[in-house]
Amino acid sequence: MSADHTRDPCPIVVLSDFGGAFAMGVIGGCVWHGIKGFRNSPYGERVTGALSVVKTRAPVVGGNFGVWGGLFSAFDCSVKAVRKREDAWNAVIAGFFTGGALAIRGGWRHTRNSAITCACLLGCFEGVGVLMQKVMAQPQQNIYGDAPMSA
Amino acid sequence: MSWIFGGSKTPEQKEKEDAVALKEKLGFDPSQVADVGTILNSPGVLSSASLHPLSGLEKGIEYMDLEDEQLTTVEGAQGLIPSRNWTDDLCYGTGAVYLLGLGVGGAYGFQEGVRNLPPNATPKLQLNTILNHITKRGPFLGNSAGVLALTYNLIDSSLDAIRGKHDDVNSVGAGALAGALFKSSAGLKPMFYSTAMMAGGAAAWCGIKAVLQQQQKQQLQQHEQPLQ
């Protein structure tokens, strides 16, 4: 698999992923909690209610996204450095460690279950990615035709 | 950013640049080609030097010269690390400030937890107390700092695109606007304080950046001198 040139080299890409995931989370959280706060507020206070919910909740969503994305990226880089290869398993292993690290305060069982769930989720993503790549790729055509009189 | 606000180049200028770039890439001028014969008969086309798979290495990367990979061309926007466009600035700026806030808040929570340890607590309880304080302070400061940085970077990039260049006035103005927006619902006085603090912070960052860039330049010059 060739290197991905749209992404930055490894140690510094962690910073970018932190910021990107955080920004995604904040913007998504604004939309999500804006709508939720608007619907859950009484008539006459809908806009103020939406605003106050966005102010308190959107940064938290952003933070959660950011920590997840940043940790994942850091683990991804570490796994790449240890394995010295780039394939779909990197993401699965990094997902395993990320899920485990985020749940480590909940006890051994919680850590284990969370790590396995996260690895499975990332495995699904990678699997779908590989499938999409195969579907999108141009079908191989035999441009030379069959070899004439091969007998 | 030209995809939102339109580039500042005139169409003729852009056309000319495109033609030159295309000629460099293809090795011939497509506007002068009428049919295949002209291509084949033009001098140098069929020479082994240009047809060899490894020819043209001295021209640098060609196949991988994608649009996305070009560094930013906004005047004065060349920062400490190479940046392709405003999303790079946004991601790196937000990520760095968020991590900084998380670290500072975590350190503050750590010393707070150490000071508030209950007397004769078990090691497990001690660890939990400290971790609780860290996770209380760290994410709060990190989230606020991250949101501020996100707003600042969005406004900064927008100002760059509108003005067509980047300078310290942009940064300080974006900082002031971000600070004002951050505390816009808390009343006039907090808004004023946060505006002043963010403008000051942006100005300080501009100063640090200028010093660091100066050092980078000096180091580059020192590396280049022995070669001559």
Side-chain angles (χ1 to χ4, degrees), chain A residues 3 8 11 17 25 40 42 51 58 96 113:
Chain A
D8 287 351
D17 281 348
N40 284 342
L51 260 182
F96 181 82
N113 292 347

Side-chain angles (χ1 to χ4, degrees), chain B residues 9-22:
Chain B
K9 285 176 190 162
T10 58
E12 302 91 54
Q13 205 184 346
K14 192 155 188 335
E15 215 166 81
K16 206 169 145 195
E17 277 179 21
D18 281 352
V20 171
L22 195 62

